[in-house]
Short mmCIF file of all heavy atoms in Angstrom, two decimals:
data_model
loop_
_atom_site.label_atom_id
_atom_site.label_comp_id
_atom_site.label_asym_id
_atom_site.label_seq_id
_atom_site.Cartn_x
_atom_site.Cartn_y
_atom_site.Cartn_z
N MET A 1 57.82 181.20 -38.01
CA MET A 1 57.68 182.31 -38.92
C MET A 1 58.85 183.26 -38.79
O MET A 1 59.26 183.61 -37.72
CB MET A 1 56.40 183.06 -38.55
CG MET A 1 55.60 183.33 -39.84
SD MET A 1 54.61 184.79 -39.71
CE MET A 1 53.21 184.22 -38.75
N ALA A 2 59.35 183.63 -39.93
CA ALA A 2 60.51 184.53 -39.94
C ALA A 2 60.07 185.95 -39.56
O ALA A 2 58.99 186.36 -39.87
CB ALA A 2 61.15 184.53 -41.30
N LYS A 3 61.03 186.61 -38.96
CA LYS A 3 60.76 187.99 -38.62
C LYS A 3 60.64 188.81 -39.89
O LYS A 3 61.52 188.75 -40.75
CB LYS A 3 61.93 188.52 -37.77
CG LYS A 3 61.42 189.26 -36.55
CD LYS A 3 62.64 189.81 -35.84
CE LYS A 3 62.32 190.19 -34.38
NZ LYS A 3 63.51 190.65 -33.68
N GLU A 4 59.59 189.55 -39.98
CA GLU A 4 59.40 190.32 -41.18
C GLU A 4 60.12 191.65 -41.08
O GLU A 4 59.97 192.39 -40.11
CB GLU A 4 57.91 190.57 -41.43
CG GLU A 4 57.61 190.84 -42.88
CD GLU A 4 56.12 190.85 -43.13
OE1 GLU A 4 55.42 190.00 -42.57
OE2 GLU A 4 55.66 191.74 -43.86
N LYS A 5 60.90 191.93 -42.10
CA LYS A 5 61.58 193.23 -42.10
C LYS A 5 60.59 194.32 -42.47
O LYS A 5 59.76 194.11 -43.33
CB LYS A 5 62.73 193.20 -43.13
CG LYS A 5 63.94 192.51 -42.59
CD LYS A 5 65.10 192.68 -43.57
CE LYS A 5 66.37 191.97 -43.09
NZ LYS A 5 67.44 192.04 -44.04
N SER A 6 60.76 195.42 -41.87
CA SER A 6 59.82 196.54 -42.12
C SER A 6 60.43 197.50 -43.16
O SER A 6 60.42 198.69 -42.95
CB SER A 6 59.50 197.25 -40.83
OG SER A 6 60.69 197.69 -40.22
N THR A 7 60.94 196.93 -44.21
CA THR A 7 61.54 197.78 -45.24
C THR A 7 60.49 198.23 -46.23
O THR A 7 60.72 199.20 -46.92
CB THR A 7 62.63 197.00 -46.04
OG1 THR A 7 62.14 195.77 -46.37
CG2 THR A 7 63.87 196.87 -45.17
N ASN A 8 59.37 197.53 -46.26
CA ASN A 8 58.32 197.93 -47.16
C ASN A 8 57.68 199.26 -46.67
O ASN A 8 57.37 199.36 -45.48
CB ASN A 8 57.21 196.89 -47.25
CG ASN A 8 57.67 195.70 -48.09
OD1 ASN A 8 58.69 195.82 -48.79
ND2 ASN A 8 56.98 194.62 -48.00
N PRO A 9 57.50 200.14 -47.57
CA PRO A 9 56.82 201.39 -47.16
C PRO A 9 55.40 201.18 -46.81
O PRO A 9 54.70 200.35 -47.43
CB PRO A 9 56.94 202.28 -48.43
CG PRO A 9 57.07 201.31 -49.59
CD PRO A 9 57.79 200.10 -49.00
N THR A 10 54.96 201.82 -45.76
CA THR A 10 53.55 201.71 -45.39
C THR A 10 52.71 202.71 -46.12
O THR A 10 51.51 202.62 -46.11
CB THR A 10 53.41 201.92 -43.86
OG1 THR A 10 53.99 203.14 -43.51
CG2 THR A 10 54.05 200.78 -43.11
N ALA A 11 53.38 203.64 -46.73
CA ALA A 11 52.66 204.66 -47.48
C ALA A 11 53.53 205.21 -48.58
O ALA A 11 54.75 205.24 -48.45
CB ALA A 11 52.20 205.78 -46.57
N LEU A 12 52.92 205.58 -49.67
CA LEU A 12 53.64 206.20 -50.76
C LEU A 12 52.85 207.45 -51.20
O LEU A 12 51.68 207.61 -50.86
CB LEU A 12 53.73 205.24 -51.94
CG LEU A 12 54.76 204.13 -51.84
CD1 LEU A 12 54.70 203.28 -53.11
CD2 LEU A 12 56.12 204.69 -51.65
N ARG A 13 53.52 208.24 -51.91
CA ARG A 13 52.85 209.44 -52.45
C ARG A 13 52.18 209.09 -53.79
O ARG A 13 52.77 208.45 -54.63
CB ARG A 13 53.87 210.57 -52.66
CG ARG A 13 54.50 210.98 -51.37
CD ARG A 13 54.64 212.48 -51.24
NE ARG A 13 55.10 212.81 -49.90
CZ ARG A 13 54.40 213.43 -49.01
NH1 ARG A 13 53.16 213.82 -49.28
NH2 ARG A 13 54.87 213.71 -47.83
N CYS A 14 50.97 209.60 -53.90
CA CYS A 14 50.22 209.39 -55.13
C CYS A 14 51.04 210.01 -56.29
O CYS A 14 51.42 211.17 -56.22
CB CYS A 14 48.87 210.07 -55.04
SG CYS A 14 48.01 210.17 -56.57
N PRO A 15 51.31 209.23 -57.34
CA PRO A 15 52.10 209.75 -58.44
C PRO A 15 51.47 210.92 -59.14
O PRO A 15 52.12 211.67 -59.81
CB PRO A 15 52.18 208.52 -59.40
CG PRO A 15 51.87 207.37 -58.59
CD PRO A 15 50.94 207.84 -57.48
N THR A 16 50.18 211.05 -58.98
CA THR A 16 49.46 212.10 -59.70
C THR A 16 49.43 213.40 -58.90
O THR A 16 49.74 214.45 -59.41
CB THR A 16 48.04 211.65 -60.03
OG1 THR A 16 48.11 210.48 -60.81
CG2 THR A 16 47.30 212.73 -60.78
N CYS A 17 49.02 213.31 -57.63
CA CYS A 17 48.84 214.54 -56.87
C CYS A 17 49.65 214.62 -55.64
O CYS A 17 49.57 215.58 -54.87
CB CYS A 17 47.36 214.69 -56.54
SG CYS A 17 46.79 213.51 -55.32
N ARG A 18 50.50 213.61 -55.40
CA ARG A 18 51.47 213.65 -54.30
C ARG A 18 50.80 213.57 -52.92
O ARG A 18 51.40 213.88 -51.94
CB ARG A 18 52.31 214.96 -54.35
CG ARG A 18 53.04 215.11 -55.64
CD ARG A 18 54.15 214.07 -55.75
NE ARG A 18 54.78 214.12 -57.05
CZ ARG A 18 55.52 213.18 -57.58
NH1 ARG A 18 55.69 212.05 -56.90
NH2 ARG A 18 56.05 213.27 -58.71
N THR A 19 49.59 213.11 -52.91
CA THR A 19 48.96 212.87 -51.59
C THR A 19 49.52 211.62 -51.01
O THR A 19 49.78 210.65 -51.73
CB THR A 19 47.44 212.76 -51.77
OG1 THR A 19 46.93 213.96 -52.28
CG2 THR A 19 46.77 212.44 -50.46
N LEU A 20 49.70 211.59 -49.72
CA LEU A 20 50.18 210.40 -49.08
C LEU A 20 49.11 209.32 -49.08
O LEU A 20 47.97 209.56 -48.64
CB LEU A 20 50.59 210.72 -47.62
CG LEU A 20 51.68 209.85 -47.02
CD1 LEU A 20 52.95 209.90 -47.86
CD2 LEU A 20 51.97 210.31 -45.61
N VAL A 21 49.47 208.13 -49.55
CA VAL A 21 48.48 207.05 -49.64
C VAL A 21 48.97 205.85 -48.85
O VAL A 21 50.12 205.43 -48.98
CB VAL A 21 48.30 206.62 -51.11
CG1 VAL A 21 47.13 205.66 -51.23
CG2 VAL A 21 48.11 207.81 -52.01
N LEU A 22 48.11 205.33 -48.02
CA LEU A 22 48.47 204.18 -47.23
C LEU A 22 48.43 202.90 -48.05
O LEU A 22 47.66 202.79 -49.02
CB LEU A 22 47.51 204.04 -46.05
CG LEU A 22 47.59 205.20 -45.03
CD1 LEU A 22 46.56 204.96 -43.93
CD2 LEU A 22 48.98 205.32 -44.45
N ARG A 23 49.23 201.93 -47.64
CA ARG A 23 49.39 200.71 -48.44
C ARG A 23 48.08 199.94 -48.55
O ARG A 23 47.85 199.22 -49.53
CB ARG A 23 50.46 199.82 -47.80
CG ARG A 23 51.71 199.80 -48.60
CD ARG A 23 52.73 198.94 -47.93
NE ARG A 23 52.63 197.56 -48.39
CZ ARG A 23 53.26 196.55 -47.77
NH1 ARG A 23 53.96 196.75 -46.73
NH2 ARG A 23 53.12 195.33 -48.27
N ASP A 24 47.28 199.99 -47.52
CA ASP A 24 46.07 199.17 -47.57
C ASP A 24 44.90 199.90 -48.26
O ASP A 24 43.78 199.48 -48.24
CB ASP A 24 45.64 198.75 -46.15
CG ASP A 24 45.52 199.92 -45.24
OD1 ASP A 24 45.76 201.09 -45.68
OD2 ASP A 24 45.16 199.73 -44.07
N ASP A 25 45.26 201.01 -48.89
CA ASP A 25 44.22 201.72 -49.62
C ASP A 25 43.88 200.94 -50.88
O ASP A 25 44.78 200.35 -51.50
CB ASP A 25 44.74 203.13 -49.98
CG ASP A 25 43.59 204.02 -50.49
OD1 ASP A 25 43.07 203.72 -51.59
OD2 ASP A 25 43.27 204.97 -49.84
N ASP A 26 42.64 200.98 -51.24
CA ASP A 26 42.18 200.23 -52.42
C ASP A 26 42.88 200.67 -53.68
O ASP A 26 43.18 199.86 -54.54
CB ASP A 26 40.68 200.46 -52.62
CG ASP A 26 39.87 199.30 -52.09
OD1 ASP A 26 40.51 198.40 -51.46
OD2 ASP A 26 38.63 199.30 -52.22
N ASN A 27 43.18 201.90 -53.74
CA ASN A 27 43.76 202.45 -54.98
C ASN A 27 45.27 202.63 -54.95
O ASN A 27 45.87 203.16 -55.89
CB ASN A 27 43.12 203.82 -55.30
CG ASN A 27 41.61 203.70 -55.51
OD1 ASN A 27 41.16 203.04 -56.41
ND2 ASN A 27 40.87 204.29 -54.59
N PHE A 28 45.88 202.13 -53.87
CA PHE A 28 47.34 202.26 -53.74
C PHE A 28 48.04 201.83 -55.02
O PHE A 28 47.68 200.85 -55.61
CB PHE A 28 47.79 201.37 -52.57
CG PHE A 28 49.24 201.49 -52.27
CD1 PHE A 28 49.70 202.50 -51.44
CD2 PHE A 28 50.14 200.58 -52.78
CE1 PHE A 28 51.04 202.61 -51.16
CE2 PHE A 28 51.48 200.67 -52.52
CZ PHE A 28 51.95 201.70 -51.69
N PRO A 29 49.05 202.55 -55.48
CA PRO A 29 49.65 203.70 -54.84
C PRO A 29 48.99 205.04 -55.16
O PRO A 29 49.54 206.06 -54.86
CB PRO A 29 51.06 203.66 -55.40
CG PRO A 29 50.91 203.16 -56.77
CD PRO A 29 49.75 202.19 -56.70
N PHE A 30 47.85 204.93 -55.78
CA PHE A 30 47.14 206.20 -56.05
C PHE A 30 46.19 206.50 -54.91
O PHE A 30 45.74 205.61 -54.21
CB PHE A 30 46.35 206.08 -57.36
CG PHE A 30 47.24 205.84 -58.55
CD1 PHE A 30 47.47 204.58 -59.05
CD2 PHE A 30 47.90 206.92 -59.17
CE1 PHE A 30 48.30 204.33 -60.09
CE2 PHE A 30 48.75 206.70 -60.22
CZ PHE A 30 48.94 205.40 -60.71
N CYS A 31 45.86 207.76 -54.74
CA CYS A 31 45.02 208.14 -53.61
C CYS A 31 43.58 207.90 -53.95
O CYS A 31 42.75 207.79 -53.07
CB CYS A 31 45.25 209.62 -53.25
SG CYS A 31 44.59 210.78 -54.48
N SER A 32 43.30 207.84 -55.23
CA SER A 32 41.89 207.65 -55.62
C SER A 32 41.83 207.08 -57.03
O SER A 32 42.81 207.05 -57.79
CB SER A 32 41.16 208.99 -55.62
OG SER A 32 41.71 209.83 -56.60
N ASP A 33 40.65 206.57 -57.36
CA ASP A 33 40.48 206.00 -58.71
C ASP A 33 40.72 207.06 -59.75
O ASP A 33 41.28 206.80 -60.83
CB ASP A 33 39.05 205.46 -58.84
CG ASP A 33 38.96 204.41 -59.91
OD1 ASP A 33 39.89 203.55 -59.98
OD2 ASP A 33 38.00 204.44 -60.69
N ARG A 34 40.35 208.25 -59.42
CA ARG A 34 40.52 209.36 -60.34
C ARG A 34 41.98 209.57 -60.72
O ARG A 34 42.34 209.71 -61.86
CB ARG A 34 39.92 210.62 -59.75
CG ARG A 34 39.77 211.77 -60.72
CD ARG A 34 38.86 212.82 -60.14
NE ARG A 34 39.15 214.10 -60.75
CZ ARG A 34 39.95 215.00 -60.28
NH1 ARG A 34 40.54 214.80 -59.12
NH2 ARG A 34 40.18 216.13 -60.88
N CYS A 35 42.80 209.58 -59.67
CA CYS A 35 44.24 209.81 -59.93
C CYS A 35 44.84 208.70 -60.75
O CYS A 35 45.71 208.90 -61.58
CB CYS A 35 44.96 209.97 -58.61
SG CYS A 35 44.89 211.64 -57.98
N ARG A 36 44.37 207.48 -60.52
CA ARG A 36 44.88 206.35 -61.27
C ARG A 36 44.53 206.50 -62.75
O ARG A 36 45.35 206.28 -63.63
CB ARG A 36 44.32 205.02 -60.77
CG ARG A 36 44.89 203.89 -61.58
CD ARG A 36 44.47 202.52 -61.05
NE ARG A 36 43.16 202.49 -60.44
CZ ARG A 36 42.79 201.59 -59.54
NH1 ARG A 36 43.67 200.71 -59.12
NH2 ARG A 36 41.60 201.59 -59.06
N ILE A 37 43.31 206.95 -62.99
CA ILE A 37 42.86 207.13 -64.38
C ILE A 37 43.65 208.24 -65.03
O ILE A 37 44.07 208.15 -66.21
CB ILE A 37 41.36 207.44 -64.39
CG1 ILE A 37 40.61 206.14 -64.07
CG2 ILE A 37 40.96 207.92 -65.79
CD1 ILE A 37 39.12 206.37 -63.80
N ILE A 38 43.90 209.29 -64.29
CA ILE A 38 44.70 210.40 -64.84
C ILE A 38 46.07 209.92 -65.20
O ILE A 38 46.60 210.23 -66.29
CB ILE A 38 44.81 211.54 -63.77
CG1 ILE A 38 43.47 212.25 -63.64
CG2 ILE A 38 45.90 212.51 -64.18
CD1 ILE A 38 43.43 213.25 -62.51
N ASP A 39 46.66 209.09 -64.34
CA ASP A 39 48.00 208.58 -64.62
C ASP A 39 47.99 207.68 -65.88
O ASP A 39 48.84 207.79 -66.75
CB ASP A 39 48.52 207.80 -63.43
CG ASP A 39 50.02 207.55 -63.57
OD1 ASP A 39 50.75 208.53 -63.48
OD2 ASP A 39 50.40 206.39 -63.79
N LEU A 40 46.97 206.85 -65.94
CA LEU A 40 46.85 205.98 -67.12
C LEU A 40 46.68 206.81 -68.38
O LEU A 40 47.25 206.52 -69.41
CB LEU A 40 45.65 205.04 -66.96
CG LEU A 40 45.86 203.89 -66.00
CD1 LEU A 40 44.57 203.11 -65.82
CD2 LEU A 40 46.95 202.94 -66.48
N GLY A 41 45.93 207.88 -68.22
CA GLY A 41 45.69 208.77 -69.36
C GLY A 41 46.96 209.38 -69.83
O GLY A 41 47.19 209.55 -71.06
N LYS A 42 47.87 209.68 -68.93
CA LYS A 42 49.14 210.27 -69.32
C LYS A 42 49.93 209.28 -70.19
O LYS A 42 50.49 209.65 -71.18
CB LYS A 42 49.98 210.58 -68.05
CG LYS A 42 49.59 211.87 -67.40
CD LYS A 42 50.64 212.24 -66.41
CE LYS A 42 50.05 213.00 -65.22
NZ LYS A 42 50.97 212.97 -64.07
N TRP A 43 49.91 208.03 -69.74
CA TRP A 43 50.61 207.02 -70.53
C TRP A 43 49.99 206.89 -71.91
O TRP A 43 50.66 206.88 -72.92
CB TRP A 43 50.50 205.66 -69.84
CG TRP A 43 51.50 205.54 -68.71
CD1 TRP A 43 51.26 205.82 -67.40
CD2 TRP A 43 52.85 205.10 -68.84
NE1 TRP A 43 52.40 205.60 -66.69
CE2 TRP A 43 53.40 205.15 -67.50
CE3 TRP A 43 53.67 204.68 -69.89
CZ2 TRP A 43 54.72 204.81 -67.24
CZ3 TRP A 43 54.99 204.31 -69.60
CH2 TRP A 43 55.49 204.38 -68.29
N ALA A 44 48.65 206.85 -71.91
CA ALA A 44 47.95 206.64 -73.19
C ALA A 44 48.15 207.77 -74.15
O ALA A 44 48.26 207.56 -75.34
CB ALA A 44 46.46 206.47 -72.88
N SER A 45 48.24 209.00 -73.61
CA SER A 45 48.37 210.14 -74.49
C SER A 45 49.81 210.40 -74.83
O SER A 45 50.11 211.33 -75.59
CB SER A 45 47.76 211.39 -73.83
OG SER A 45 48.56 211.73 -72.70
N GLY A 46 50.70 209.60 -74.32
CA GLY A 46 52.09 209.70 -74.71
C GLY A 46 52.87 210.75 -73.96
O GLY A 46 53.90 211.18 -74.38
N ALA A 47 52.33 211.13 -72.81
CA ALA A 47 53.07 212.10 -71.99
C ALA A 47 54.36 211.48 -71.51
O ALA A 47 55.37 212.17 -71.34
CB ALA A 47 52.20 212.53 -70.80
N TYR A 48 54.30 210.20 -71.29
CA TYR A 48 55.54 209.48 -70.91
C TYR A 48 56.05 208.83 -72.12
O TYR A 48 55.90 207.65 -72.34
CB TYR A 48 55.23 208.44 -69.85
CG TYR A 48 54.75 209.00 -68.56
CD1 TYR A 48 53.79 208.31 -67.80
CD2 TYR A 48 55.25 210.21 -68.06
CE1 TYR A 48 53.35 208.83 -66.58
CE2 TYR A 48 54.81 210.71 -66.86
CZ TYR A 48 53.86 210.02 -66.13
OH TYR A 48 53.42 210.51 -64.94
N ARG A 49 56.77 209.56 -72.92
CA ARG A 49 57.30 209.02 -74.16
C ARG A 49 58.42 207.99 -73.82
O ARG A 49 59.22 208.23 -72.91
CB ARG A 49 57.93 210.12 -74.98
CG ARG A 49 56.93 210.90 -75.79
CD ARG A 49 56.45 210.11 -77.01
NE ARG A 49 55.26 210.72 -77.60
CZ ARG A 49 55.33 211.58 -78.63
NH1 ARG A 49 56.52 211.95 -79.08
NH2 ARG A 49 54.26 212.13 -79.13
N ILE A 50 58.41 206.95 -74.56
CA ILE A 50 59.50 206.00 -74.38
C ILE A 50 60.59 206.33 -75.33
O ILE A 50 60.89 205.60 -76.27
CB ILE A 50 59.00 204.54 -74.54
CG1 ILE A 50 57.78 204.30 -73.68
CG2 ILE A 50 60.12 203.58 -74.21
CD1 ILE A 50 57.23 202.90 -73.82
N SER A 51 61.17 207.47 -75.12
CA SER A 51 62.41 207.81 -75.87
C SER A 51 63.50 207.73 -74.82
O SER A 51 63.32 208.11 -73.69
CB SER A 51 62.29 209.18 -76.47
OG SER A 51 62.20 210.15 -75.46
N SER A 52 64.63 207.25 -75.21
CA SER A 52 65.65 207.03 -74.19
C SER A 52 66.97 207.64 -74.60
O SER A 52 67.92 206.97 -74.88
CB SER A 52 65.84 205.53 -73.97
OG SER A 52 65.85 204.86 -75.21
N PRO A 53 67.02 208.97 -74.59
CA PRO A 53 68.27 209.66 -74.94
C PRO A 53 69.40 209.35 -73.95
O PRO A 53 70.54 209.41 -74.28
CB PRO A 53 67.87 211.13 -74.90
CG PRO A 53 66.69 211.18 -74.01
CD PRO A 53 65.99 209.87 -74.24
N ILE A 54 68.97 208.98 -72.74
CA ILE A 54 69.98 208.72 -71.68
C ILE A 54 70.75 207.47 -72.01
O ILE A 54 71.86 207.24 -71.52
CB ILE A 54 69.31 208.63 -70.33
CG1 ILE A 54 70.32 208.91 -69.21
CG2 ILE A 54 68.67 207.26 -70.10
CD1 ILE A 54 70.65 210.36 -69.02
N LEU A 55 70.19 206.62 -72.89
CA LEU A 55 70.88 205.40 -73.24
C LEU A 55 71.81 205.60 -74.46
O LEU A 55 72.48 204.69 -74.88
CB LEU A 55 69.86 204.29 -73.59
CG LEU A 55 69.07 203.82 -72.37
CD1 LEU A 55 68.11 202.69 -72.81
CD2 LEU A 55 69.95 203.30 -71.27
N ASP A 56 71.80 206.83 -74.95
CA ASP A 56 72.72 207.12 -76.03
C ASP A 56 74.16 206.98 -75.54
O ASP A 56 74.56 207.61 -74.55
CB ASP A 56 72.48 208.55 -76.52
CG ASP A 56 73.21 208.90 -77.82
OD1 ASP A 56 74.41 208.59 -77.86
OD2 ASP A 56 72.59 209.37 -78.75
N PRO A 57 74.98 206.17 -76.22
CA PRO A 57 76.36 205.91 -75.76
C PRO A 57 77.13 207.22 -75.55
O PRO A 57 77.91 207.35 -74.63
CB PRO A 57 76.97 205.09 -76.88
CG PRO A 57 75.81 204.51 -77.61
CD PRO A 57 74.64 205.44 -77.40
N GLU A 58 76.94 208.17 -76.42
CA GLU A 58 77.69 209.40 -76.32
C GLU A 58 77.32 210.16 -75.05
O GLU A 58 78.18 210.73 -74.37
CB GLU A 58 77.44 210.28 -77.53
CG GLU A 58 78.27 209.83 -78.72
CD GLU A 58 78.05 210.79 -79.88
OE1 GLU A 58 77.81 211.96 -79.65
OE2 GLU A 58 78.18 210.32 -81.03
N VAL A 59 76.03 210.13 -74.76
CA VAL A 59 75.58 210.83 -73.53
C VAL A 59 76.15 210.14 -72.32
O VAL A 59 76.66 210.81 -71.40
CB VAL A 59 74.03 210.82 -73.47
CG1 VAL A 59 73.56 211.40 -72.14
CG2 VAL A 59 73.42 211.59 -74.63
N LEU A 60 76.11 208.84 -72.31
CA LEU A 60 76.63 208.11 -71.14
C LEU A 60 78.10 208.38 -71.00
O LEU A 60 78.62 208.53 -69.90
CB LEU A 60 76.40 206.61 -71.37
CG LEU A 60 74.93 206.20 -71.17
CD1 LEU A 60 74.79 204.69 -71.43
CD2 LEU A 60 74.49 206.49 -69.74
N ASP A 61 78.81 208.45 -72.14
CA ASP A 61 80.25 208.71 -72.10
C ASP A 61 80.49 210.09 -71.46
O ASP A 61 81.37 210.24 -70.66
CB ASP A 61 80.78 208.73 -73.54
CG ASP A 61 81.93 207.76 -73.67
OD1 ASP A 61 82.85 207.81 -72.81
OD2 ASP A 61 81.92 206.95 -74.60
N GLY A 62 79.70 211.06 -71.89
CA GLY A 62 79.86 212.40 -71.34
C GLY A 62 79.64 212.41 -69.86
O GLY A 62 80.38 213.01 -69.08
N LEU A 63 78.61 211.70 -69.39
CA LEU A 63 78.31 211.65 -67.95
C LEU A 63 79.47 211.03 -67.21
O LEU A 63 79.91 211.52 -66.17
CB LEU A 63 77.04 210.82 -67.72
CG LEU A 63 75.74 211.47 -68.11
CD1 LEU A 63 74.58 210.55 -67.96
CD2 LEU A 63 75.52 212.73 -67.27
N ASP A 64 80.03 209.94 -67.77
CA ASP A 64 81.11 209.26 -67.13
C ASP A 64 82.30 210.20 -67.01
O ASP A 64 82.96 210.26 -65.97
CB ASP A 64 81.47 208.03 -67.97
CG ASP A 64 82.22 207.01 -67.10
OD1 ASP A 64 81.81 206.84 -65.92
OD2 ASP A 64 83.16 206.38 -67.63
N ASP A 65 82.53 210.95 -68.04
CA ASP A 65 83.63 211.90 -68.02
C ASP A 65 83.45 212.92 -66.94
O ASP A 65 84.37 213.28 -66.19
CB ASP A 65 83.70 212.63 -69.38
CG ASP A 65 84.97 212.22 -70.14
OD1 ASP A 65 86.01 212.93 -69.93
OD2 ASP A 65 84.91 211.26 -70.90
N MET A 66 82.25 213.41 -66.84
CA MET A 66 81.96 214.45 -65.85
C MET A 66 82.25 213.91 -64.44
O MET A 66 82.77 214.60 -63.61
CB MET A 66 80.49 214.85 -65.91
CG MET A 66 80.21 215.87 -67.01
SD MET A 66 78.47 216.16 -67.25
CE MET A 66 78.03 216.83 -65.63
N HIS A 67 81.91 212.67 -64.24
CA HIS A 67 82.11 212.09 -62.91
C HIS A 67 83.57 211.91 -62.61
O HIS A 67 84.07 212.15 -61.52
CB HIS A 67 81.38 210.75 -62.80
CG HIS A 67 79.92 210.87 -62.63
ND1 HIS A 67 79.38 211.49 -61.55
CD2 HIS A 67 78.91 210.50 -63.39
CE1 HIS A 67 78.05 211.49 -61.66
NE2 HIS A 67 77.72 210.89 -62.77
N ARG A 68 84.31 211.49 -63.63
CA ARG A 68 85.72 211.19 -63.40
C ARG A 68 86.52 212.46 -63.16
O ARG A 68 87.39 212.54 -62.30
CB ARG A 68 86.31 210.44 -64.59
CG ARG A 68 86.69 209.01 -64.19
CD ARG A 68 87.22 208.28 -65.38
NE ARG A 68 86.21 208.18 -66.42
CZ ARG A 68 86.42 207.63 -67.61
NH1 ARG A 68 87.65 207.17 -67.87
NH2 ARG A 68 85.52 207.56 -68.51
N SER A 69 86.25 213.50 -63.97
CA SER A 69 86.97 214.76 -63.79
C SER A 69 86.22 215.65 -62.84
O SER A 69 86.29 216.87 -62.91
CB SER A 69 87.15 215.43 -65.15
OG SER A 69 85.90 215.74 -65.71
N GLY A 70 85.50 215.06 -61.97
CA GLY A 70 84.62 215.80 -61.06
C GLY A 70 85.33 216.54 -59.97
O GLY A 70 86.55 216.80 -60.06
N HIS A 71 84.59 216.86 -58.95
CA HIS A 71 85.13 217.77 -57.90
C HIS A 71 85.65 217.00 -56.73
O HIS A 71 85.58 217.41 -55.59
CB HIS A 71 84.06 218.72 -57.47
CG HIS A 71 83.29 219.34 -58.61
ND1 HIS A 71 83.82 220.36 -59.37
CD2 HIS A 71 82.11 219.06 -59.13
CE1 HIS A 71 82.92 220.67 -60.31
NE2 HIS A 71 81.88 219.90 -60.18
N SER A 72 86.18 215.80 -57.01
CA SER A 72 86.57 214.93 -55.88
C SER A 72 87.93 215.34 -55.33
O SER A 72 88.21 215.15 -54.16
CB SER A 72 86.65 213.48 -56.34
OG SER A 72 87.34 213.39 -57.55
N SER A 73 88.78 215.94 -56.16
CA SER A 73 90.14 216.27 -55.70
C SER A 73 90.11 217.56 -54.88
O SER A 73 90.88 217.68 -53.94
CB SER A 73 91.04 216.46 -56.91
OG SER A 73 90.49 217.37 -57.82
N GLY A 74 89.23 218.47 -55.21
CA GLY A 74 89.10 219.68 -54.43
C GLY A 74 90.33 220.58 -54.57
O GLY A 74 90.77 221.21 -53.63
N ASP A 75 90.90 220.64 -55.77
CA ASP A 75 92.09 221.48 -55.98
C ASP A 75 91.70 222.94 -56.00
O ASP A 75 92.38 223.77 -55.37
CB ASP A 75 92.73 221.14 -57.31
CG ASP A 75 93.63 219.90 -57.17
OD1 ASP A 75 93.87 219.51 -56.02
OD2 ASP A 75 94.05 219.36 -58.17
N ASP A 76 90.62 223.23 -56.70
CA ASP A 76 90.26 224.63 -56.85
C ASP A 76 89.18 225.01 -55.84
O ASP A 76 88.46 224.16 -55.36
CB ASP A 76 89.85 224.92 -58.28
CG ASP A 76 88.95 223.86 -58.82
OD1 ASP A 76 88.40 223.08 -58.00
OD2 ASP A 76 88.82 223.74 -60.05
N GLU A 77 89.07 226.26 -55.63
CA GLU A 77 88.06 226.74 -54.69
C GLU A 77 86.68 226.71 -55.32
O GLU A 77 86.46 227.44 -56.24
CB GLU A 77 88.42 228.16 -54.27
CG GLU A 77 89.76 228.21 -53.59
CD GLU A 77 89.66 228.17 -52.08
OE1 GLU A 77 88.56 228.05 -51.49
OE2 GLU A 77 90.71 228.28 -51.46
ZN1 ZN B 1 46.09 211.46 -56.09
#
């Protein structure tokens, strides 16, 4: 048997209420059935819109520019 790497998190935070949830919890990664339903409800009600402005080429271009002309040189104070 290969040695198992312990890179897997043993616990995560509930996406809904940020409570720490152990991996072997029934509702993982949610802390409770209620939180899971709340999260599903968000998706269903469109709280998580699938609009992707970040994929706009112009936006990406701008970001790239910001990084390139960034503060790596340290010329100014
Ligand atoms: Zn929760």
